[in-house]
């Protein structure tokens, strides 16, 4: 996460109390990922993007559909997106946490996962696009 560290530090220092343990770094998520992981990765990007490039063994579920999937409520979830905006995943995570869900958000999304050395499946050329996008992006917004 060498490109995002200053942005994340500034962003995390201004978080409300309810969000303090909501976020996971890509390094932590990559280290925990595996067949015996306590986390289930939920990629909420559009299905066409998920099909082109995704984290092995992750689920592709739109954020709006999570609440209708009670079988996921007893799992520890990590939401994975593009890393561009945190508004929608924060709102979803806050609402579901209020209902007893154990849910986190991957800081920096899929590009941060890749930068942390996490494995990806799909088109290798898409992977290169994510790397160049990661290097050019400097701001993450809540909006």
């Amino acid at each position: 996460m060498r490109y995002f560290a200053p942005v994340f530090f500034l962003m995390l220092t201004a978080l409300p109390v309810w969000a303090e343990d909501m976020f996971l770094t890509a390094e932590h998520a990559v280290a925990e990922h595996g067949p015996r992981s306590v986390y289930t990765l939920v990629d909420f990007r559009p299905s066409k993007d998920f099909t082109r490039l995704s984290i092995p063994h992750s689920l592709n579920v739109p954020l709006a559909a999570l609440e209708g999937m009670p079988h996921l409520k007893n799992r520890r979830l990590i939401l994975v997106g593009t890393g561009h905006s945190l508004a929608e995943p924060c709102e979803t995570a806050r609402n579901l946490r209020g209902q007893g869900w154990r849910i986190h958000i991957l800081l920096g999304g899929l590009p941060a996962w890749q930068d942390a050395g996490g494995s990806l499946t799909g088109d290798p050329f898409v992977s290169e696009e994510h790397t160049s996008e990661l290097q050019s992006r400097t701001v993450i917004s809540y909006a």
Side-chain angles (χ1 to χ4, degrees):
M1 285 190 9
R2 61 185 172 270
Y3 305 108
F4 291 107
V7 174
F8 288 149
F9 175 75
L10 292 173
M11 186 177 64
L12 290 174
T13 59
L15 289 175
V17 174
W18 58 262
E20 288 179 356
D21 70 337
M22 187 179 298
F23 300 99
L24 291 178
T25 65
E27 289 81 7
H28 178 82
V30 167
E32 291 289 327
H33 185 59
R36 297 181 184 259
S37 176
V38 297
Y39 294 105
T40 299
L41 296 168
V42 176
D43 189 329
F44 61 89
R45 297 174 305 131
S47 61
K48 67 177 180 60
D49 295 338
F50 179 82
T51 302
R52 289 180 65 204
L53 188 69
S54 62
I55 299 170
H57 311 292
S58 61
L59 306 175
N60 185 224
V61 179
L63 291 175
L66 274 175
E67 192 171 0
M69 305 180 94
H71 63 282
L72 293 178
K73 185 175 182 177
N74 295 328
R75 297 185 184 183
R76 294 181 71 184
L77 304 179
I78 300 175
L79 301 180
V80 180
T82 61
H84 289 255
S85 173
L86 293 173
E88 190 178 7
C90 277
E91 181 179 343
T92 299
R94 185 172 57 105
N95 291 338
L96 292 176
R97 281 176 160 224
Q99 299 172 31
W101 290 61
R102 296 175 296 168
I103 192 164
H104 304 277
I105 299 169
L106 179 66
L107 283 173
L110 193 65
W113 173 273
Q114 182 180 13
D115 191 48
S119 60
L120 296 171
T121 60
D123 186 346
F125 294 110
V126 174
S127 178
E128 291 173 13
E129 291 171 16
H130 273 284
T131 300
S132 61
E133 178 185 331
L134 178 65
Q135 293 170 345
S136 67
R137 205 173 7 168
T138 57
V139 177
I140 294 180
S141 74
Y142 282 103

